[in-house]
Amino acid sequence: MKGNMEERAVKLAQYIIENGATVRAAAVKFGISKSTVHKDLSERLPNFNKPLYLQAKAVLEENKAQRHIRGGIATRKKYKGN
């Protein structure tokens, strides 16, 4: 999804807000790198759509707070074979 970076940043933010998605999930969905997702959301989006940025940031902060739990679940699944 190349092209207009502002449009891409808005679509990424909307996707993350609507689905509670992680940066990794958004990167896979849009076929771009995690670095691009971070740059779009943290540097580009606040310059032209601050309210949308704040909503997306809240979801990302929540995901960040829960990542240690997700990691533990993934490790348990890996070693239990489920």
Side-chain angles (χ1 to χ4, degrees):
M1 177 175 186
K2 307 226 190 265
N4 188 354
M5 292 181 280
E6 291 178 354
E7 181 181 327
R8 181 180 65 208
V10 169
K11 288 183 179 180
L12 280 166
Q14 290 172 339
Y15 176 76
I16 287 173
I17 293 165
E18 290 169 4
N19 298 299
T22 61
V23 169
R24 185 177 299 231
V28 169
K29 169 76 175 167
F30 288 90
I32 56 178
S33 71
K34 293 185 300 180
S35 300
T36 303
V37 174
H38 274 293
K39 186 167 187 102
D40 283 352
L41 294 178
S42 65
E43 294 178 18
R44 294 185 178 121
L45 189 60
N47 293 333
F48 61 89
N49 196 336
K50 190 79 167 182
L52 187 62
Y53 162 73
L54 293 174
Q55 288 180 315
K57 183 180 176 188
V59 173
L60 293 177
E61 289 295 325
E62 181 179 338
N63 288 339
K64 187 176 180 181
Q66 295 173 353
R67 71 181 171 191
H68 68 284
I69 296 169
R70 283 194 205 101
I73 292 169
T75 302
R76 182 180 305 128
K77 285 182 180 179
K78 177 181 176 181
Y79 289 108
K80 283 196 169 184
N82 291 337

